[in-house]
Amino acid sequence: MFLLILVTPITHALLSDQEMISIAQKEVNKTIPLEYRSEYIFKAIRKSTPELSYDTTYTLIWQRYVNKIIVLEDGFSILIDSENGNIIHKDYSFSVPSSQLDTTPILTSNQAKFVVEKNITDISEERGLEIRGNTLYWTFKVVGGNLVR
């Protein structure tokens, strides 16, 4: 028994990245309340399954930042078919209003690094702040690639 699958090649132009961003931005504007919209920053456009040349869907991703600090759980993503501009799926997450987030760390970066170095000696100079839930964390990259919070 043989199974024959025919894949019809795409013969018309696909939407450009900018056209897909424009479609997605309209959904951002409809979904995210105006008072928080400026906190969601466009980060990436990715082909959904790059190993499949016939897949025409792309995921566009926004990440939430408060005072330039990433809010890990919060974001907006949308899956768009670049053949016709149809929205296949969208996902929006919002955890805590920015007025309830403390973005001023208790420890300085160097103080936090000193505490981390008491337990882990191989940390790089790469560090930053992130918000998870409503808690502010310093993050440090360990030599070899792991992240310490």
Side-chain angles (χ1 to χ4, degrees), residues 25-146:
Q25 188 63 54
K26 289 176 187 169
E27 289 302 311
V28 165
N29 294 344
K30 283 194 255 181
T31 306
I32 301 173
L34 181 60
E35 64 188 297
Y36 300 112
R37 202 173 296 151
S38 64
E39 296 175 353
Y40 285 77
I41 308 300
F42 179 71
K43 298 304 286 181
I45 183 168
R46 296 188 191 123
K47 187 166 184 171
S48 298
T49 48
E51 65 278 3
L52 300 176
S53 62
Y54 55 84
D55 183 9
T56 60
T57 61
Y58 287 79
T59 302
L60 292 83
I61 301 165
W62 279 255
Q63 182 66 55
R64 183 176 178 213
Y65 290 82
V66 174
N67 293 337
K68 299 182 182 178
I69 301 171
I70 190 169
V71 183
L72 289 179
E73 289 90 3
D74 294 358
F76 180 87
S77 64
I78 188 166
L79 182 63
I80 295 178
D81 187 332
S82 65
E83 257 191 293
N84 52 29
N86 288 343
I87 296 168
I88 298 166
H89 177 77
K90 67 180 179 179
D91 183 45
Y92 166 59
S93 56
F94 177 84
S95 58
V96 180
S98 47
S99 62
Q100 295 177 18
L101 294 172
D102 183 4
T103 57
T104 305
I106 294 171
L107 299 175
T108 68
S109 174
N110 286 334
Q111 290 169 326
K113 181 179 179 195
F114 176 79
V115 171
V116 170
E117 287 177 331
K118 291 285 187 187
N119 297 307
I120 301 170
T121 57
D122 294 343
I123 65 170
S124 72
E125 288 300 315
E126 187 177 336
R127 57 191 124 172
L129 287 168
E130 63 184 36
I131 298 169
R132 188 176 310 130
N134 62 353
T135 305
L136 182 64
Y137 292 91
W138 278 107
T139 61
F140 296 89
K141 193 156 192 163
V142 176
V143 174
N146 296 324

